[in-house]
Each structure stands twice: as structure tokens, then as C-alpha cells.
């Protein structure tokens, strides 16, 4: 066992003494030492039930003959961080999480880890840590929130708070109604109810084989989630004894399966960043931005959850969960081992029920292409990303005149003040990995556009990124970013921009000679930060088409 480095032999008497100071006995020290990397927080709704799950994981570890040790991992709620300076810290926290777990696991020579996670950057940060450490690991995602309820209709976080704020600014609802919605939209523990980034990543973690079946969709408040936590605690001890490590599971096939699942579900565009960053940690050069577009042309969109549709994560769970989607995808999914001990094929074959009102069949998809499209062109030579499953068919080809802003705040002020004309392409730049820094999500302005009734009349492009809750013609991850002199930095108000999702094109319709003149006179703005995490991230972050990590 790896832990023998800190517990075996006369020279390790000091180390054993410190372990005994924690209250464990000598027999416990002879067992595999299992870390529980827990992102519990009173601040994050998706994490507030983790104290209970920690106990069930501990019970499972003890029952299987291991010794559990809980240690903490930071967590940021993207919804609370949204729309202000705090969002700059969200994406960089992914690297902080990976680094912190690596330090604790290596410093204490742990034999295995249970990753107890939820929400947007915590799950991908933990996956990066698992890939880097490559000691036996299993994931427990804490589960989605149940739907809210108000006057006989179901509510979800994004549509009934961020978009409702836009409706208030438009005068469609009163301030009192807005306050009633904000009270009821999030009824309790769990990650936000739709197929936003947190739940997408939970589903992809299960698809890759790093969590037990149904873990990705089981709601946070169900007893089923506790049973999964207990079983995961037992299974990690078996994984240690069998020496089944993450790199044996997170293969090229596993990553491709995750992309296929993302496309079939119509998941968040943030998964592009996270899976590319994970591939980097795995030293897997076979997965790149083009992989998403290659598969998107083959994989149909089968499930229409919020924000694109009206269904919730609980609907997907009770329709058969990820195993049912795997079964439906058939040979589009490649066989691969999983932490459960079953192969993907065995999980596919074990499915006994699929609700076809929620999970459509391959011959009756919502669309023949997957949920994400990658666009290239003169405006994004290194690529850009759009959640095409959440774009109205009328807006899949759009030509408009640019209205440029150098920050999210400037754009938000103009949108809510009613200053955006129909036929505009809103350009938000200097929000990329280096320029932001931190590549903030643009949920506030995109939701305001929907709430103001402009989702069929304007588009939004940015070198920043979007929340998984975004819908409408919103193109993000534009690379190269403005801070590094990418074409998005050269746009002027009134320039025509063409967005053609079916042809995978995004073009700045300006004469090349004129663009060259603008490029020669371009001067990047000074860095926003000169010290601390954001200064370090701005210096080290890779471009978006490489995952925007500091690795």
C-alpha cells in the first residue's frame, strides 16, 4: 500500500504517533488509508447535505475494511458569484482544487480517495486531481435540487430568478412577484435543477465510469443518494485492493463517451473546457476541440432539459437516468471499465425501463445533431462554442451589427436599460482567461436578453464563457481572446458579424486590409491584477481551446 511510506517500520514511529493523535487505533492504521475529499460548505446549496453523505461514505469504508479521513476542499457557488468580481475566481478555483487535493493526498500518502463533490468547478477540479494522482478513486456527486413550486408550476433557478429579473425590468412582473419567485425557485439542497454545468459534469462523471450508476442524477435529498454514498465507500476499498486507478478508467474511450453523453443530453458548454483540461491532465492528445464537433455531427440530441426545454434533472432520473441514456445510445458508446466493477456494456444491458417521453430514441431525436457546436472563422480562428440545442431554429443563422462592450457590467447596463436594438450582435470582450482574468460566465446578460424578450432578435458573442443555464444564440470561448489581440479585439460598433451554426462559421465581415490596420494599432489594456491568484492565473492560463487550465 502507498500508505506504508508513513506507517511501516521503526523510523515511522513519529508518523504513527501523529495518526494516533487523531483518535484511531493501531488496527485502523493497518488498513488502507482512504481520504474523503469533501467540498462541504454552508455557503453552497449543492453542498449543504454533504455532512450526511460523509458519514455514509465513512460507514462504507469502515465496513469494507478501510480507515476514512475527511479533509476539506474549497467550493464556490457560481450562482452567487455571478455578475460581479467574484465570478473571476470561479474558473481559477478549479486549479486550486486540483492542487490542494494533490498536496493533501501526496503529503499523507493516501491509498485511495473518495471525491465528494457537486457544482460547477469542483467536480472538474477533482477529476483533474484524480487524473494527476492516479491512485484508486471514486466520485460521489451530491445530486441535483428538486424543482421549486409556485402557483401550480414548477420552478428552476435560472429561468425563475435570472430571467425573471429581465422580465421585471421589462415590466412584465412586479417586484413583489420577483421576490416570491426568488423565495420558491430553490427549495433546498442540491445543484440547480436543470442541465447546467454542475449536473452536466455529474452525468459525465458517471458516463466516464468514475461514479456508481445513477449517482449523476439521484436528487440530493433522496435516501438513494445516501445508499450510493455508502456503496461508494465500500467500493473504494475494493478498488485499492484491486489497484484499479483512474487512468485505467478515464481512457480515450471514456472521454469520448463523456462527449457523446454531453451532446445527447444537450449539456453545458463549460464541459468543453473541463474535458479538455482533464485530457491535458491525462496526457491524452487524442481529445481536442475538434473531437466535440466531429461527434456532434454523429450524435443526436435526445433529452430536452432546462434551460433548453421544460424538464428537470429529477425527470431524467426517474426516466432511467444515465444508464437509460447509455442504453439508448447503443454503439455510439464505446465499451470501457467503470469503478462499479461492471463494464459500460454491462450497465447498458442491465437497463429495464426507459421513459421515452423524457429520453427519446435514436430514430426520434429532438435534433439529428448533438447539443454543442464548434464554430470557426475570421472572428474565431482557434474556435468558439455554442450550445446549439438551446438556440431557436430561427436564430441558427444570424447576421447583425456589432455593439461592443469591454466588460460584462457595461453590457448588462445597456441591456437592462433597453438600449440594445433588434438586429444587434452584442460583443463582450476582455473577459477571456487572461483578459478577465478568470473567464467569467455571462449568465446575467444572457438571461436578461431572454427576460427582455430579445432572444430571437439579438445574438451575443464573447471571449468569456456562459453558464450552463444560458439559452439563445450566445457564442463563447472565442479564441484567440481580445487581450491577446484576437479578432474580437478589433471589432468596432456597426461592423457586420455573421453567425452560421449549421455551417459552423462565425465571420467578421470587415475588409482584410481594414482589419490589418486595426491590428497594427492595437494596444492591449494593462492587467487588471498584479498580485494574488488572478494575477497568477492570467499569467499561466492556457487558451480556451486547450481547456484554460494552469497545468
Amino acid at each position: 500500500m502507498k500508505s506504508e511510506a508513513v506507517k511501516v517500520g521503526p523510523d515511522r514511529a513519529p508518523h504513527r504517533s501523529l495518526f494516533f493523535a487523531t483518535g484511531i487505533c493501531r488496527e485502523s492504521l493497518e488498513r488502507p488509508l482512504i481520504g474523503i475529499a469533501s467540498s462541504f460548505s454552508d455557503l453552497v446549496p449543492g453542498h449543504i447535505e454533504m455532512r450526511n453523505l460523509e458519514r455514509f461514505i465513512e460507514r462504507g469504508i469502515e465496513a469494507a475494511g478501510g480507515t476514512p479521513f475527511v479533509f476539506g476542499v474549497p467550493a464556490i457557488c457560481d450562482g452567487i458569484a455571478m455578475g460581479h468580481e467574484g465570478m473571476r475566481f470561479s474558473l481559477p478555483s478549479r486549479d486550486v482544487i486540483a492542487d490542494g487535493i494533490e498536496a493533501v493526498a501526496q503529503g499523507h500518502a493516501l491509498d485511495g480517495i473518495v471525491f465528494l463533490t457537486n457544482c460547477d468547478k469542483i467536480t472538474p477540479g477533482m477529476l483533474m486531481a484524480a487524473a494527476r494522482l492516479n491512485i484508486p478513486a471514486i466520485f460521489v456527486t451530491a445530486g441535483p435540487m428538486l424543482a421549486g413550486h409556485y402557483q401550480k408550476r414548477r420552478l428552476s433557478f435560472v429561468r425563475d430568478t435570472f430571467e425573471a429579473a429581465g422580465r421585471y425590468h421589462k415590466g412584465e412582473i412586479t417586484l413583489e412577484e420577483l421576490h416570491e419567485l426568488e423565495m420558491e425557485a430553490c427549495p433546498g439542497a442540491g445543484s440547480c435543477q436543470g442541465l447546467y454545468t454542475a449536473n452536466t459534469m455529474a452525468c459525465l462523471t458517471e458516463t466516464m465510469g468514475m461514479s456508481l450508476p445513477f449517482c449523476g442524477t439521484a436528487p440530493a435529498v433522496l435516501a438513494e443518494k445516501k445508499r450510493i454514498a455508502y456503496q461508494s465507500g465500500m467500493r473504494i476499498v475494493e478498488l485499492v485492493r484491486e489497484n484499479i486507478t483512474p487512468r485505467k478508467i478515464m481512457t480515450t474511450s471514456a472521454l469520448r463517451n463523456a462527449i457523446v453523453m454531453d451532446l445527447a443530453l444537450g449539456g453545458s458548454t463549460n464541459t468543453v473546457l473541463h474535458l479538455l483540461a482533464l485530457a491535458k491532465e491525462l496526457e491524452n492528445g487524442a481529445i481536442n476541440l475538434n473531437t466535440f464537433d466531429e461527434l456532434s455531427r454523429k450524435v443526436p440530441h435526445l433529452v430536452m432539459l432546462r434551460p433548453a426545454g421544460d424538464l428537470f434533472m429529477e425527470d431524467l432520473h426517474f426516466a432511467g437516468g444515465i444508464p437509460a441514456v447509455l442504453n439508448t445510445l447503443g454503439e455510439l458508446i464505446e465499451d470501457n471499465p467503470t469503478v462499479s466493477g461492471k463494464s459500460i456494456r454491462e450497465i447498458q444491458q442491465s437497463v429495464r425501463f426507459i421513459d421515452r417521453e423524457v429520453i427519446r430514441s435514436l430514430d426520434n431525436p429532438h435534433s439529428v445533431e448533438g447539443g454543442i457546436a464548434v464554430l470557426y472563422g475570421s472572428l474565431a480562428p482557434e474556435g468558439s462554442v455554442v450550445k446549439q440545442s438551446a438556440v431557436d431554429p430561427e436564430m441558427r443563422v444570424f447576421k447583425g451589427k456589432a455593439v461592443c462592450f469591454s466588460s460584462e457590467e457595461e453590457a448588462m447596463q445597456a441591456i437592462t436599460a433597453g438600449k440594445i436594438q433588434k438586429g444587434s450582435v452584442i460583443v463582450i470582450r476582455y473577459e477571456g482567461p487572461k483578459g478577465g482574468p478568470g473567464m467569467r460566465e455571462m449568465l446575467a446578460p444572457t438571461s436578461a436578453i431572454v427576460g427582455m424578450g430579445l432572444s430571437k432578435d439579438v445574438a451575443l458573442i464573447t471571449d468569456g464563457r456562459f453558464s450552463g443555464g444560458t439559452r439563445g444564440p450566445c457564442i463563447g470561448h472565442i479564441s484567440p481572446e481580445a487581450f491577446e489581440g484576437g479578432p474580437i479585439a478589433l471589432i468596432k460598433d456597426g461592423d457586420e458579424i455573421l453567425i452560421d451554426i449549421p455551417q459552423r462559421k462565425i465571420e467578421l465581415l470587415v475588409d482584410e486590409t481594414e482589419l490589418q490596420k486595426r491590428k497594427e494599432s492595437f494596444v492591449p489594456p494593462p492587467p487588471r491584477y498584479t498580485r494574488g491568484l488572478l494575477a497568477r492565473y492570467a499569467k499561466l492560463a492556457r487558451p480556451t481551446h486547450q481547456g484554460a487550465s494552469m497545468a
Side-chain angles (χ1 to χ4, degrees), residues 203-439:
C203 292
L204 303 196
T205 300
E206 181 181 333
T207 301
M208 284 188 285
M210 289 303 295
S211 62
L212 296 182
F214 302 103
C215 187
T217 57
V221 296
L222 295 192
E224 179 181 4
K225 182 62 72 176
K226 295 183 176 69
R227 288 191 287 272
I228 290 171
Y230 179 84
Q231 291 161 356
S232 299
M234 293 191 69
R235 185 62 187 147
I236 186 59
V237 180
E238 296 168 359
L239 292 170
V240 169
R241 288 175 176 152
E242 296 165 11
N243 193 31
I244 298 175
T245 57
R247 292 194 178 205
K248 294 177 181 177
I249 292 170
M250 290 194 288
T251 62
T252 298
S253 291
L255 292 172
R256 288 179 66 88
N257 287 345
I259 296 171
V260 169
M261 181 61 69
D262 194 6
L263 297 168
L265 293 177
S268 165
T269 54
N270 282 311
T271 56
V272 176
L273 288 178
H274 300 326
L275 291 176
L276 291 176
L278 177 57
K280 176 68 178 175
E281 290 288 353
L282 291 166
E283 302 172 287
N284 187 327
I287 302 297
N288 54 49
L289 186 59
N290 289 330
T291 311
F292 287 82
D293 202 52
E294 168 215 332
L295 292 172
S296 182
R297 296 174 187 272
K298 302 175 183 176
V299 178
H301 179 207
L302 303 178
V303 181
M304 190 70 81
L305 302 183
R306 288 198 178 193
D310 290 317
L311 297 175
F312 293 70
M313 285 298 296
E314 62 199 70
D315 299 317
L316 176 58
H317 183 65
F318 296 122
I322 296 306
V325 185
L326 290 170
N327 177 280
T328 301
L329 287 166
E331 293 301 317
L332 288 168
I333 292 290
E334 301 173 22
D335 200 13
N336 203 66
T338 77
V339 292
S340 70
K342 295 180 179 180
S343 70
I344 289 290
R345 287 282 178 262
E346 289 174 314
I347 292 171
Q348 287 179 315
Q349 293 162 7
S350 70
V351 172
R352 296 290 177 265
F353 169 75
I354 303 174
D355 183 346
R356 288 298 179 206
E357 292 185 8
V358 176
I359 304 167
R360 291 196 176 184
S361 61
L362 290 177
D363 58 3
N364 182 36
H366 290 284
S367 64
V368 295
E369 290 190 348
I372 289 173
V374 178
L375 313 185
Y376 290 93
S378 59
L379 187 43
E382 294 175 348
S384 61
V385 179
V386 61
K387 187 173 184 175
Q388 65 172 340
S389 60
V391 179
D392 189 280
E394 296 176 23
M395 293 295 291
R396 295 193 177 211
V397 178
F398 183 79
K399 183 191 288 186
K401 293 189 175 182
V403 183
C404 300
F405 303 96
S406 293
S407 71
E408 176 187 358
E409 289 82 359
E410 290 178 15
M412 187 65 182
Q413 185 177 13
I415 294 166
T416 56
K419 295 180 180 180
I420 302 299
Q421 303 297 315
K422 292 182 179 181
S424 298
V425 176
I426 300 167
V427 179
I428 306 178
R429 55 196 175 194
Y430 300 108
E431 291 286 5
K434 294 180 180 295
M439 205 180 180

Side-chain angles (χ1 to χ4, degrees), residues 475-486:
I475 291 86
H477 304 198
I478 288 179
S479 184
E481 63 175 290
F483 188 78
E484 297 201 298

Side-chain angles (χ1 to χ4, degrees), residues 74-86:
I76 292 174
C77 175
D78 276 20
I80 295 173
M82 197 74 66
H84 61 93
E85 203 71 359

